[in-house]
Amino acid sequence: MEHAPITDQEFALFQRLIYRIAGINLADSKKVLLVGRLQRRLRERQLASFGDYYRLLSSGQHPDEQQTMVDLLTTNETYFFRESRHFDFLRDEVLGSRRPSRSFRVWSAASSSGEEAYSVAMVLAEALPNTVWEVFGSDISTQVLTRARTASYPLNRNEGIPEACRRKYCLPGERGSHGTFQIAPQIRQQVRFAQVNLTQPISPAVGSFDVIFVRNVMIYFDAETKRKVVANLLPRLLPGGYFIVGHSESLNGITDQLSVVKPTIYRKPE
């Protein structure tokens, strides 16, 4: 079934819907992206227009379809040891000066398909051989979390991983999975994933963290949503803990509860 082109009014409805559900500020320039990612759903649902699809989504009777839309519209471009200076800082400054004999937890709060969470885990495994540690990875997209839990990646994705870590923690893909590698069990078992919507109040059950990475997601939020997200995350950060955002992001004007250590790296007062 062919569907009608999206109208400006219909696109505006989708902009408001994705903002309400996920806090994402979808720019007017993203109309082509939205059409490209959602038009297959119209065909599969045998819907004649984007207006029909919007009505289905907003009826409240299809929460699974709402999640599918979120999965399709959230951008998940990531790779291992992205913005490597943050991992250097974690290893040299944070772990190098931590108090001994205490467990250590890191939250990868916009973990996408898991590369950031596993990168953090490799740093912790190398730096804290005699310490209990855990990495918690979360995302709003259930689709990317499913991929993260498999811990299986195309071979060409391992380029950013330091050679020593690659030898220790990257195994050949399972039989029948040529051209892939698997994250080693000693890393996988210390990383867990769960769906979290950062724009909603966060359950205390996720626990407290020494470091929170929330990188390359703030760029999709307006100032009000950024303030809400940071306010939701800060109660989960331990006093003296570090809060790290992406290199194109800043918390200037967003919160006064963190001090700047260096650009993109903040600390909660002890």
Side-chain angles (χ1 to χ4, degrees), residues 9 12 18 35 41 100 106 127-128 147 163 175 184-185 206 208-209 211 245 247-248 253 255 269:
Q9 291 85 350
I18 193 70
V35 170
R41 298 304 298 164
V106 179
L128 304 177
R147 289 214 300 276
E163 181 60 32
R175 195 174 301 166
V206 305
S208 299
F209 298 89
V211 181
V245 300
H247 280 317
S248 62
T255 181

Side-chain angles (χ1 to χ4, degrees), residues 5 25 46 71-73 106 125 149 193 229 246:
N25 206 21
Q46 297 188 311
D71 287 347
L72 290 169
L73 291 183
V106 179
R149 290 187 185 101
F193 294 96
V229 166

Side-chain angles (χ1 to χ4, degrees), residues 137-164:
S138 69
D139 203 275
I140 195 172
S141 168
T142 54
Q143 193 175 58
V144 294
L145 291 172
T146 298
R147 289 214 300 276
R149 290 187 185 101
T150 70
S152 178
Y153 299 93
L155 270 177
N156 63 3
R157 304 288 288 178
N158 72 6
E159 291 172 359
I161 302 173
E163 181 60 32

Side-chain angles (χ1 to χ4, degrees), residues 11-127:
F11 179 64
L13 291 171
F14 279 98
Q15 285 176 302
R16 288 197 287 273
L17 184 63
I18 193 70
Y19 182 83
R20 180 169 60 79
I21 295 171
I24 293 170
N25 206 21
L26 202 63
D28 292 344
S29 59
K30 299 292 186 183
K31 188 197 281 191
V32 172
L33 178 142
L34 179 139
V35 170
R37 295 190 178 186
L38 297 186
Q39 58 189 354
R40 183 170 60 86
R41 298 304 298 164
L42 272 67
R43 287 197 296 272
E44 289 173 355
R45 287 279 187 171
Q46 297 188 311
L47 298 170
S49 70
F50 279 91
D52 289 343
Y53 186 50
Y54 172 80
R55 283 184 283 279
L56 180 143
L57 289 167
S58 59
S59 69
Q61 295 174 4
H62 303 276
D64 290 350
E65 189 64 36
Q66 275 198 0
Q67 182 62 55
T68 298
M69 180 199 68
V70 169
D71 287 347
L72 290 169
L73 291 183
T74 46
T75 302
N76 300 300
E77 198 261 331
T78 186
Y79 45 89
F80 286 96
F81 287 86
R82 181 181 188 180
E83 298 174 1
S84 60
R85 280 177 294 172
H86 287 153
F87 298 98
D88 295 340
F89 181 85
L90 174 64
R91 182 190 65 235
D92 300 336
E93 304 295 329
V94 181
L95 301 177
S97 62
R98 60 177 287 278
R99 297 187 188 97
S101 71
R102 188 171 69 77
S103 62
F104 197 87
R105 297 184 80 222
V106 179
W107 185 0
S108 170
S111 67
S112 187
S113 44
E115 287 91 337
E116 179 180 271
Y118 291 125
S119 298
V120 169
M122 290 180 203
V123 173
L124 299 186
E126 291 291 283

Side-chain angles (χ1 to χ4, degrees), residues 157-174:
R157 304 288 288 178
N158 72 6
E159 291 172 359
I161 302 173
E163 181 60 32
C165 290
R166 200 184 309 175
R167 284 200 305 269
K168 259 195 235 186
Y169 306 126
C170 299
L171 307 177
E174 294 175 352

